Amino acid sequence: MQCNWVEMDVEVVSQTGPDQQLKAKAALLAKASGVTRLVKLSCDKDPTWSLKLLQRAAPTVQRLSVYFALKTHLSVVHTMPRLTRLNVSGHFAQLGRPLELPSSLPLRPAGLQWLSVGVIARTTTQSLLRANGRTLEEVELWIGTAGNKCWPDSCGDLAWLLQQSGLRAIKRIVLRRYKRCSHEPAACSKQLAEVRRVLPSAEVKCGKCDYAREDEV
């Protein structure tokens, strides 16, 4: 059965400051109620408007991608009752400002089933995983292998981090690589093997080595 998505792509408008695109922003706020798929929302240029948009869409949105979210934005995202797919991306300037979310979700009809996380602080990443651990089936992490760089360019204890995140329903994990991250073949194989050991029921792939197709929110 096909789902009739009510989609809203705000990539262009959300990249403008508080004094720009005022009519377009007002129009999007007016149409946000009832939206089920909200994508490419940059929260850093106009944080107040971005927060209002999330609040308007919160009761119905099921699929969401947010970039450069602040604490207030992620707090709203965390309580969205129907959200099942979430893409959260940050930038390297935010890595020193971690946000820890509650370890348990409020009761809601749906749980987060798919999560993609890229370039956000380690503690924020683990908070998102823990908060949704009971329902997450697929996780995509933009992360490096063990190496001499800082998180997330290098990560030598990913298996431990995932093991501590309570991923009870997990079926698939894809480790996405990017240009500046550590990615040596031997280290990649070791990282994949370690994750498979702690999450034996999950399919674990490297997006680069295994040519895993990048999914959309």
Side-chain angles (χ1 to χ4, degrees):
M1 183 174 66
Q2 290 186 334
C3 181
N4 295 319
W5 296 108
V6 180
E7 301 194 13
M8 181 177 285
D9 184 331
V10 295
E11 180 178 16
V12 175
V13 174
S14 68
Q15 291 182 20
T16 61
D19 299 323
Q20 299 173 301
Q21 296 277 0
L22 297 181
K23 288 185 178 180
K25 288 177 179 176
L28 288 169
L29 285 176
K31 295 189 294 185
S33 297
V35 165
T36 54
R37 185 173 185 263
L38 175 59
V39 296
K40 300 179 181 178
L41 173 61
S42 294
C43 299
D44 58 333
K45 300 298 184 183
D46 191 346
T48 300
W49 175 81
S50 301
L51 181 62
K52 288 180 181 178
L53 188 68
L54 288 171
Q55 290 169 334
R56 294 279 180 90
T60 56
V61 70
Q62 299 175 42
R63 300 184 173 207
L64 173 68
S65 60
V66 291
Y67 309 142
F68 322 128
L70 304 176
K71 181 176 181 178
T72 50
H73 302 108
L74 283 184
S75 295
V76 173
V77 171
H78 181 63
T79 58
M80 289 176 169
R82 299 182 184 276
L83 191 65
T84 59
R85 294 175 70 88
L86 173 64
N87 178 349
V88 181
S89 298
H91 49 60
F92 292 98
Q94 286 184 305
L95 293 177
R97 301 197 300 271
L99 165 65
E100 292 196 29
L101 296 170
S103 58
S104 60
L105 286 167
L107 293 176
R108 59 185 192 173
L112 203 60
Q113 297 171 356
W114 182 92
L115 174 67
S116 177
V117 176
V119 195
I120 62 175
R122 178 187 172 103
T123 54
T124 307
T125 299
Q126 190 162 27
S127 290
L128 282 167
L129 292 170
R130 283 177 173 168
N132 297 282
R134 65 182 178 85
T135 56
L136 272 174
E137 296 180 0
E138 295 188 43
V139 171
E140 295 196 353
L141 295 176
W142 293 81
I143 197 166
T145 61
N148 57 6
K149 300 179 181 180
C150 296
W151 171 278
D153 295 343
S154 296
C155 181
D157 63 346
L158 181 61
W160 180 88
L161 185 150
L162 293 172
Q163 187 177 36
Q164 300 301 310
S165 298
L167 300 173
R168 297 180 231 167
I170 196 69
K171 295 179 180 178
R172 189 169 190 261
I173 295 176
V174 180
L175 307 180
R176 298 287 176 194
R177 313 303 188 184
Y178 49 98
K179 188 173 182 179
R180 60 181 273 175
C181 77
S182 301
H183 183 249
E184 295 297 329
C188 182
S189 296
K190 183 173 184 288
Q191 187 181 59
L192 294 175
E194 290 171 346
V195 173
R196 288 172 183 140
R197 266 198 303 273
V198 299
L199 297 172
S201 63
E203 176 188 29
V204 183
K205 291 183 175 292
C206 168
K208 186 174 183 179
C209 297
D210 298 320
Y211 305 101
R213 180 179 61 86
E214 189 174 339
D215 210 348
E216 293 184 357
V217 72

